[in-house]
Amino acid sequence: MMRGTYGVDIRLTNNSWGFSEYSQALYDAIAASRDAGMLFIAGAGNDGVDDDTSPFYPASYDLDNII
């Protein structure tokens, strides 16, 4: 719809999953998608835990293409 109606070509992935362990391989893959101009939409957990003190990945990776 965005491309057809507004001429905006948005490339993104919708990822409503996560876990508490850091993965360098996943970080690198998300960084590669950033370098390809893609957004990575990440679920931040629904458990009421502060993700700043208890990271929830991939939402907690410090990459500017993660929303």
Side-chain angles (χ1 to χ4, degrees), residues 6 8 10 12-13 15 25 28-29 33-35 45 47 58 62-63:
Y6 302 105
V8 177
I10 296 176
L12 59 88
T13 60
N15 306 277
D28 293 344
S33 72
R34 175 200 58 205
D35 296 344
D47 51 12
D62 187 22
L63 292 167

Side-chain angles (χ1 to χ4, degrees), residues 2 6 8 11 13-15 17 21-22 24 27-29 36-37 39 42-44 51 55-58 64 67:
M2 292 300 291
Y6 302 105
V8 177
R11 296 174 50 201
T13 60
N14 180 21
N15 306 277
W17 47 268
E21 292 186 34
Y22 180 92
Q24 187 64 51
Y27 180 96
D28 293 344
L39 292 175
D51 293 345
F56 186 76
Y57 299 103
D64 60 5
I67 297 175

Side-chain angles (χ1 to χ4, degrees), residues 23-60:
S23 166
Q24 187 64 51
L26 181 56
Y27 180 96
D28 293 344
I30 298 170
S33 72
R34 175 200 58 205
D35 296 344
M38 296 180 69
L39 292 175
F40 187 95
I41 313 305
N46 292 320
D47 51 12
V49 175
D50 183 352
D51 293 345
D52 291 327
T53 59
S54 298
F56 186 76
Y57 299 103
S60 293

